[in-house]
Amino acid sequence: ENIKKLNFFFVGKRKMAFCFPFQSNNKIINVGVEIVPSKKKKEFFEVCVSDTIKDLKEKVCSRLEISVEEQEFRYDQKVLLDNKKIQYYKIQNNQTITITIKYQEERQVESLMSELENGNFAALVKLQNLLDNTENKRKFFTKYDIVPCLFKLLKKENDQVKENVLGIFVTLSDNNTENKRELFTKYDIVPCLLKVLKKGTDRAKVNALGTLKNLSLDTENRRELITKYKIVPHLLKVIENGNDRLKENTLAIFLNLSTN
C-alpha cells in the first residue's frame, strides 16, 4: 500500500488537513523478463523499486545463467543503464522488460554510456572515435539514445567537456539527413548552439558553427533557421567580432542559407 503524507494549511482561522499519497522507495513489484528472440516463457522477478538495473540483472544471472555482461535490458524502446534504479524508468508491477544477448561491441557501448553519465572526459574521446564509423552515427541516435546524455554534459561547468560534446554534434549531423532533422526538430538543438555563440570559448563556437553548417544543408531547416530562430543577427555578430576561422564557418552557413 502507498504511504500517505499528511499536509496542513490554514483557511482563515481553520486548520485544514489533506492526505497526499506518495510511492515508497521500498515498494516491491514483480517485473517480467522476456528473452528475445527465444521460445522460453517469460520469467517474473520480485524486485524493490529502489533496486538498480544491475541488481535485477544479477537475479536473472542467478536463475537463467546469463552473465550480467551479456544482458541488455530494453523497456519502452530504451536501453536500460545498470546504475539507474527501477523507479527511474517508471517500470510498473507486472510489466515486462526484454533481454537481448549482447555482443562485445554492445557491452563496450553500455560501459561507455555509463562513463558519459558520470561526466568522464575520456569517454567523450572514445565516443568520437566510434562515430568516425558512418554506421554508428545512426545507431547511437536510435538504439543508444545518446543525445539527451550529451545535452546533460553541456550543462557541466567544464569548457573542455562542452567543446568535445559540440564536436560530437558536428560528427552526428555530418552526412546523415535523419540525424539532422531529429537534432533540429525533436531535440531543438538550435537555441543551445546560439547560446554557445554568445558565451562559449572559440573552440566551442567553431563546433557550434560546424553543427549549424551541417543543419543548414537541409532544405527544410534553412527557412526555419532564418524565420523561427532568427539566426542572421547572431551570425553577423560572429563576422564582426570573431577570428578568421569563426568567420569562415559563418560565411559557409550564409552560403547554405542563400542556396535555393
Side-chain angles (χ1 to χ4, degrees):
E1 293 294 326
N2 287 343
I3 300 173
K4 293 184 178 179
K5 181 179 179 182
L6 199 61
N7 288 278
F8 295 94
F9 66 93
F10 288 89
V11 178
K13 295 183 178 180
R14 293 186 177 183
K15 188 177 184 181
M16 310 293 288
F18 283 84
C19 290
F20 295 95
F22 68 92
Q23 196 177 61
S24 168
N25 285 334
N26 297 318
K27 183 178 179 182
I28 303 297
I29 62 173
N30 285 307
V31 175
V33 171
E34 186 173 29
I35 301 173
V36 291
S38 173
K39 294 181 180 179
K40 291 184 179 181
K41 291 183 179 180
K42 184 190 304 182
E43 298 270 352
F44 280 88
F45 294 82
E46 191 175 84
V47 294
C48 179
V49 294
S50 61
D51 287 348
T52 65
I53 296 300
K54 187 174 182 180
D55 292 333
L56 177 54
K57 284 185 176 182
E58 288 172 348
K59 291 185 178 184
V60 171
C61 174
S62 178
R63 188 189 302 180
L64 303 181
E65 297 183 347
I66 303 171
S67 71
V68 170
E69 292 75 19
E70 289 179 304
Q71 299 174 44
E72 179 182 81
F73 279 13
R74 296 181 73 85
Y75 177 76
D76 194 26
Q77 299 181 340
K78 292 181 179 178
V79 175
L80 309 188
L81 300 178
D82 283 357
N83 62 335
K84 297 297 185 183
K85 294 182 179 180
I86 301 290
Q87 61 192 0
Y88 174 83
Y89 292 108
K90 300 179 182 178
I91 299 168
Q92 303 298 315
N93 191 43
N94 293 323
Q95 290 189 326
T96 299
I97 292 171
T98 59
I99 297 180
T100 55
I101 308 303
K102 296 184 295 182
Y103 296 102
Q104 183 178 3
E105 178 187 318
E106 291 170 321
R107 291 200 295 271
Q108 290 174 346
V109 170
E110 184 181 74
S111 174
L112 177 64
M113 291 287 287
S114 181
E115 291 176 24
L116 288 172
E117 287 272 336
N118 295 323
N120 187 319
F121 175 74
L124 287 170
V125 178
K126 293 178 187 176
L127 177 59
Q128 183 69 69
N129 291 334
L130 281 171
L131 292 175
D132 286 340
N133 182 328
T134 304
E135 292 180 3
N136 285 340
K137 291 180 185 179
R138 190 59 189 159
K139 185 190 295 184
F140 272 87
F141 247 87
T142 56
K143 185 173 182 178
Y144 299 115
D145 197 25
I146 191 70
V147 176
C149 180
L150 295 175
F151 273 121
K152 287 180 183 178
L153 290 175
L154 278 179
K155 294 179 181 179
K156 292 186 175 293
E157 296 299 323
N158 185 313
D159 288 338
Q160 193 176 25
V161 167
K162 291 178 181 179
E163 290 165 358
N164 279 269
V165 169
L166 290 162
I168 289 170
F169 279 130
V170 176
T171 303
L172 284 172
S173 60
D174 184 38
N175 294 324
N176 192 302
T177 302
E178 290 175 304
N179 286 3
K180 288 175 190 175
R181 286 303 297 164
E182 287 188 31
L183 280 172
F184 196 88
T185 56
K186 180 179 178 180
Y187 296 106
D188 195 26
I189 194 175
V190 176
C192 173
L193 298 175
L194 295 181
K195 184 177 179 180
V196 172
L197 292 184
K198 286 183 179 179
K199 299 182 179 179
T201 64
D202 280 353
R203 185 177 172 222
K205 290 177 181 179
V206 166
N207 288 335
L209 288 167
T211 305
L212 286 168
K213 182 173 70 173
N214 290 339
L215 295 176
S216 64
L217 286 168
D218 187 284
T219 306
E220 295 180 42
N221 293 345
R222 290 175 195 153
R223 190 61 189 166
E224 286 190 54
L225 282 170
I226 296 172
T227 57
K228 180 179 178 180
Y229 297 105
K230 303 187 186 307
I231 193 175
V232 173
H234 296 276
L235 298 179
L236 290 175
K237 284 184 180 179
V238 176
I239 295 246
E240 182 180 350
N241 302 314
N243 60 36
D244 289 344
R245 189 176 179 190
L246 292 173
K247 290 177 182 178
E248 288 171 4
N249 279 271
T250 304
L251 290 171
I253 295 171
F254 273 124
L255 180 61
N256 291 342
L257 292 175
S258 62
T259 304
N260 297 328

